[in-house]
Amino acid sequence: MTQNILIIEDEEKIARVISLELEYEGYQSDVATSGKEGLELFQKGNWDLILLDVMLPELNGMEVLRRIRSTDTYTPVILITARDSVVDKVNGLDQGANDYITKPFQIEELLARIRACLRTNAIYQKEEEEQLQAGDLTVNEKTRDVIRRGEAIELTPREFDLLVYLLRNKQQVLNREQILTNVWGFDYYGDTNVVDVYVRYLRRKVDYPFDTPLIHTVRGVGYTLKEQA
């Protein structure tokens, strides 16, 4: 899939060179020449990365960055700055930039920084995909960490598998047979009451210590996990 990069740069010659180089490398790009225009394009588009000049008309780059980060903490932002002081660089990183490059720069270095940011973001997104969440409960399938309101919850392997199945199907009402088949396996021939027992175990750890229950009983059918009662 082609990755989209937004260039917010008021020096049209620089913006044009960057755009051409990006297109040559297989990216798609769009250019804004003011902070206001850049913010409008950001809000309308779906961007994989943003190149943001610091010295911009209408809205300066730091203000554009602040507004971007108020609604989007994921999209990588590389600052382009003529200022090479440590204070300016630290300020940009503290405001939420992922990287910076100082003018004048070699296009090869800029492209390398873009590739690095996109790689890091892809890894981060993959880790996010490995997480299941409902309200203030987060489960990481890879690490098997279960966290609710910052507190780690220890689960047995079967309790963990049951919670994951409920989370993958949150908001849906699941009957005992469905749960047995997907958590215990097709070859399980025991009593379906085992589901009730393990739901009770799970509630003691995931729900009862907190004031908002996530696991709900649907009388005559089974169970559902939802964020609100």
Side-chain angles (χ1 to χ4, degrees):
M1 182 181 294
T2 303
Q3 293 171 302
N4 299 310
I5 297 178
L6 174 59
I7 305 164
I8 310 177
E9 166 63 68
D10 65 323
E11 294 187 50
E12 294 185 14
K13 184 177 179 180
I14 293 177
R16 179 61 177 162
V17 169
I18 294 173
S19 180
L20 288 172
E21 292 289 345
L22 289 176
E23 290 174 14
Y24 181 78
E25 294 293 321
Y27 302 106
Q28 286 193 353
S29 64
D30 206 344
V31 175
T33 56
S34 72
K36 183 179 179 182
E37 182 189 4
L39 197 58
E40 290 173 351
L41 281 178
F42 160 73
Q43 292 167 343
K44 292 176 182 177
N46 184 20
W47 307 101
D48 295 291
L49 184 138
I50 300 168
L51 298 175
L52 176 61
D53 189 26
V54 172
M55 302 297 291
L56 292 168
E58 298 181 13
L59 285 175
N60 67 52
M62 290 301 182
E63 179 60 19
V64 173
L65 176 61
R66 187 189 69 78
R67 296 192 190 190
I68 288 173
R69 286 293 179 248
S70 69
T71 60
D72 180 339
T73 59
Y74 299 102
T75 304
V77 176
I78 299 178
L79 291 179
I80 301 174
T81 175
R83 300 173 175 177
D84 60 358
S85 74
V86 173
V87 173
D88 289 327
K89 294 173 182 177
V90 169
N91 185 36
L93 294 172
D94 285 345
Q95 289 290 332
N98 299 79
D99 200 357
Y100 62 85
I101 190 166
T102 305
K103 295 178 181 178
F105 54 82
Q106 296 294 321
I107 195 66
E108 290 80 7
E109 181 184 358
L110 177 61
L111 292 172
R113 290 179 182 273
I114 289 170
R115 290 192 295 269
C117 279
L118 290 173
R119 280 197 304 271
T120 301
N121 198 51
I123 293 169
Y124 181 77
Q125 287 182 343
K126 184 177 180 181
E127 290 174 350
E128 286 285 299
E129 290 169 1
E130 291 167 348
Q131 289 191 342
L132 299 169
Q133 188 165 2
D136 52 11
L137 173 71
T138 302
V139 174
N140 188 304
E141 291 190 80
K142 183 176 181 180
T143 64
R144 300 181 76 84
D145 289 328
V146 180
I147 307 291
R148 187 164 188 193
R149 294 188 193 166
E151 295 183 22
I153 300 172
E154 295 292 331
L155 299 179
T156 67
R158 187 71 73 189
E159 290 167 350
F160 182 85
D161 292 343
L162 175 57
L163 179 59
V164 165
Y165 180 63
L166 292 171
L167 278 166
R168 284 178 179 167
N169 298 276
K170 65 181 179 181
Q171 314 296 344
Q172 299 181 41
V173 179
L174 305 167
N175 63 44
R176 290 169 179 80
E177 288 73 21
Q178 286 176 296
I179 296 172
L180 274 175
T181 298
N182 288 277
V183 177
W184 275 262
F186 290 97
D187 56 352
Y188 180 81
Y189 295 104
D191 196 325
T192 59
N193 286 339
V194 71
V195 174
D196 303 318
V197 172
Y198 271 85
V199 167
R200 193 158 60 246
Y201 292 160
L202 199 55
R203 279 173 162 162
R204 287 176 185 168
K205 297 179 179 181
V206 172
D207 275 350
Y208 294 165
F210 307 93
D211 55 13
T212 306
L214 295 172
I215 303 169
H216 304 272
T217 302
V218 180
R219 293 190 180 280
V221 184
Y223 299 96
T224 183
L225 189 149
K226 54 184 178 180
E227 298 174 354
Q228 296 181 345

